[in-house]
Amino acid sequence: MPLPYVLLSAAVSLDGYLDDTGPERLLLSSPADFDRVDGVRASVDAILVGAGTIRADNPRLLVNSAERRVARRAAGRPEYPLKVTVTGSGDLDPAANFWHTGGDKLVYTTDRGAARAARLLGAAADVVPLGPALDWRALLEHLHDVRGVRRLMVEGGGTVHTQLLQQGLADELQLVLAPLFVGDPAAPRLFGPGAYQGGRLRLLDTRRIEDVVLMRYAPTAPGSGTAATAADRHWLRTACELAALCPPSGTAFSVGAVVVAADGTELARGHSREGGDPVVHAEEAALAKTDPADPRLSGATVYSSLEPCARRASRPAPCAELILRAGVRRVVTAWREPDTFVEAADGTGVLTAAGARVVVLPELEELAKAPNAHLPG
């Protein structure tokens, strides 16, 4: 299921403590960075904070710039983004600023917490129960499918940031580093203990803003099961973009492929008809660049814009078989192979029969099809 683009936003001190924006508390961001944050708020469809942040900091979460609010209205959007909070217990203060400023408000909670939240808030917010426990993927799917949220800004707190990043649901981390030491062991930290991706995040951008530095990072580690992570969407989008590099053909698909280790390290990439070979397939080209003895292949994911082929006439082994021979047991693709050249192609069936996991992300299907728009069917 498609999910919103999830952007985590926070400011931290040099010794790793989180911005604390409540009354009479330490502010780590600079005035210019507060304006940048206001611009990010104006760009998104919804802003989310945990219920603990509402209780501790009593935020308003507004777009403060009148010009930005006018621009949102001119674009046919609400003046303020949807404001969202998450609570397991439903224990919310109906007098908090969150409920009395801005536009629409939404509460996600458990079945147990829903009755309490509805009783406390009345008509101030829509309350959505998610079941016996909070489920972040179900929450994001509801935001996307029911509320039309395509970009979600998450402003805290640390527990919310931790859970989204650990579950592979955060697409981007915008981190502002302030030139201060807090030195208070009781101050909140940005992330809590637990399991995070094993490898390094990808640095997207850095920018100096007065005396603070903005750093933008994206997760890189693939998922491990049949549920897609934010990194899975990034790597599959990369594979789809590689397909645009293929020399045009009227008799073969244009496909891109990327092989990524479990820690997010890119092992190889390739595309159809690469290197002047008129019949080489994308997965074949990418796997040919890997070391067959590389132990990372057994935990790797192959991203292919088109489902790996199950049958082909130009080579002894189809791509599904090449993937299995390499020891890879997870494949993410955007588009199941149509009958254009091979009827009833079923690379997914070949892979799953051998124990591999195949994940299809239909939200990227049109991007995968774009370099093949000239082909029949």
Side-chain angles (χ1 to χ4, degrees), residues 181-219:
F181 293 97
V182 175
D184 180 358
R189 287 190 175 271
L190 175 58
F191 296 117
Y196 295 90
Q197 75 160 70
R200 300 167 78 91
L201 294 139
R202 184 174 71 260
L203 179 64
L204 302 175
D205 184 30
T206 62
R207 192 195 328 164
R208 177 179 176 178
I209 305 171
E210 292 181 339
D211 65 345
V212 304
V213 177
L214 168 67
M215 298 168 287
R216 296 174 53 234
Y217 291 96

Side-chain angles (χ1 to χ4, degrees), residues 44 56 62 66 91 139 170 199 213 222 224 281-283 295 302 337 354 374:
V44 301
L62 301 177
D91 181 16
L139 183 158
V213 177
S224 58
H281 286 194
E283 304 93 325
V302 168
E337 183 176 353
H374 62 286

Side-chain angles (χ1 to χ4, degrees), residues 325-366:
R325 287 182 187 178
V328 176
R329 290 298 180 268
R330 186 170 186 266
V331 175
V332 179
T333 186
W335 181 25
R336 295 293 302 272
E337 183 176 353
D339 292 341
T340 307
F341 303 115
V342 177
E343 289 190 7
D346 187 19
T348 296
V350 172
L351 291 163
T352 56
R357 295 178 294 278
V358 179
V359 182
V360 181
L361 301 185
E363 61 265 35
L364 293 178
E365 181 175 319
E366 291 307 312

Side-chain angles (χ1 to χ4, degrees), residues 243-307:
L245 302 178
C246 300
S249 172
T251 58
F253 291 112
S254 293
V255 183
V258 189
V259 185
V260 183
D263 67 354
T265 302
E266 181 181 327
L267 301 180
R269 60 174 60 191
H271 57 81
S272 304
R273 299 177 293 283
E274 184 177 329
D277 185 338
V279 295
V280 72
H281 286 194
E283 304 93 325
E284 177 187 14
L287 288 169
K289 298 169 188 171
T290 64
D291 179 354
D294 190 335
R296 295 175 296 179
L297 285 171
S298 63
T301 295
V302 168
Y303 297 89
S304 180
S305 58
L306 177 67
E307 175 186 40

